[in-house]
Amino acid sequence: MGFSRRQFLSNAAVTTASLAIGGDAIAQSQNGNQTPGQASQARELPKPKQPVIITKVTGKQSIDQGWQMLKDGQDTLDAALHICKAQEDDPNDQTVGLGGLPNEEGVVELDSCCMHGPTRKAGSVGGVRNIKNVCLVARDVMRHTGHVMLCGEGAERFAVAMGHPRENLLTEPSRKMWLLWKETNSTQDWWGAGPDDTRWKTPEAPQITLERKRKKLIELAADFGIEPELRERAAEYILFPPTGTIHVSLVNEKGEMSGATTTSGLAWKLPGRLGDSPVVGAGCYCDQDVGSAGATGSGEENIKIAGAHTIVENMRRGMSPREAGMEALQRIVRNYNHDMNRLRYVEMVYYILRRDGQYAGVSLWSNNPSGKPLRFAVHDGSSRLEQTVALLQGNSISWPAEPKPVEEKR
Ligand code: GLY
C-alpha cells in the first residue's frame, strides 16, 4: 500500500525535526519511548515541596507576600507580577516604573515581559511612556490580544484602553539627576560604537580621579536641589548609569511556574532603545517542564545570547541551574573573544529556577560597579539574600559613561 501525499509530507516533517534536535532525542524516538512532539523534553523533574521564588535584591520588600500568594494557591504569574508591581509603584526604585531614570531626552520609557507556565503564553511591551505598571500591561497583551509584543505609542494607547491611567513617571529626584547628567556627563552617551565593536577603544584614564569626580558631582547635586540623602546616589548614577530592572521567577507546590521582568532600562539611553527586558527569551523565559530564568544587567549583551532561553534549554539538557547560567555567561565571554578590558563594561546577573526548586543566582562579575558584592533574593520557606556565584572576580564598569577610573591611592 502506497503513502498518500499527506502522509509523506507529515513523515518528512518528523524526520527533519528529529535530525534537527540532536542525537539523544533521535535515539529516544527510535527506541519508541517518546513521540516526536515529546522529543525535546528532558526527564520529568519532580515538583518542589515548598514554593520557591528567586528575584533581584530589591524584590525582598514584597517577596514574603508573593510567597504567601503561592502558598494560598493563587496564580503563579499573579504572584510574580505582585513583586514586579511593588517596584514599579515605588518611586525610590529609580530603575523600574514610577521614578525610573529617563532617556537622554528626559523621558521615562519602560519595558516588560512575562511568561505564564500553565498556559504557555507570553506578553510583552517595550518603550512605553506615561504608564506605570507595564508588567500588568504585558499581561494584558498576553490575555487580551492575539499578539505577544506591543511597543511605543501603540502599547501606550492599548494600556489606556485596558484602563491603565496615564501619569507623569518622571519624579523630581529623577528629573534633577537627569539635569545633573546633562550638565556634567552627557557627552559620555550611547552614540558611537559600543565595546563589542572593534572600532571601540578602551577610554583613556581621566585627568581627575574617580573620587574627586564623585565629590564634585555630590557638590553639584546640591546646586540642583537634590535632597542630601540622594546626592551620593545621584553621583553614582551619573558615573555608572544603571541598567536596573527586576526579574522574578517562581514555582508553586504543583510545579507550576511563571516569570516576569520589568525595567526603565539603561539610564540616559537613546529614545526608543529597547533592552532585553521586553524580549521573551532574553530578559525572561519560562517553560514549566524545565524551569524559568531572567536577567538584569547589560541588555544588549543578553539579547545576543538569548540568555534566559539559553539557560532554560541548558537545564533541559541536564545541567544544574548554576551550570546552565555559567554556560550562558561563557557565551558572552566568547562574544568578546575573552577580552577582559572590554568585558569590564558588561554587567550581567541571571536568576535561575528549576521546576524542582533548585535555583542559582549567577553573575559575570562578582561585584557591581561600586564594588559591592552582587546578591539576589530567594524565598523557599524562609526569605534571605544570597551572594551570586560569579564567573569573574572584580567589578564591572558601566559603559560608556566613564573611562576606566583611576582609583584614589589610600
Ligand atoms: N537589563 C535591562 C536593560 O538593559 O534595559
Side-chain angles (χ1 to χ4, degrees), residues 102-131:
N103 66 22
E104 66 174 16
E105 292 174 356
V107 180
V108 181
E109 290 182 332
L110 305 179
D111 303 334
S112 179
C113 79
C114 63
M115 289 191 86
H116 184 235
T119 55
R120 299 181 179 277
K121 283 168 73 88
S124 154
V125 287
V128 182
R129 300 178 171 193
N130 306 314
I131 307 287

Side-chain angles (χ1 to χ4, degrees), residues 111 243-245 263-266 273-277 295-300:
D111 303 334
T243 48
T245 311
T263 191
S264 51
L266 187 58
R273 176 261 188 193
L274 296 178
D276 55 335
S277 302
T296 60
S298 310
E300 282 75 7

Side-chain angles (χ1 to χ4, degrees), residues 70 74-81 116-118 250-252 256-258 288:
L70 295 177
Q74 295 191 48
D75 182 73
T76 48
L77 185 55
D78 288 351
L81 295 183
H116 184 235
L250 45 75
V251 61
N252 67 13
E256 293 169 340
M257 304 192 80
S258 285
Q288 67 176 23

Side-chain angles (χ1 to χ4, degrees), residues 79 117 135 140-141 143 170 180 189 192 262 304 316 334 374:
C135 70
D140 284 340
V141 172
R143 280 185 179 164
L170 188 64
L180 183 60
D189 58 24
T262 187
K304 287 188 280 184
R316 194 193 305 276
R334 171 68 190 89
L374 286 161

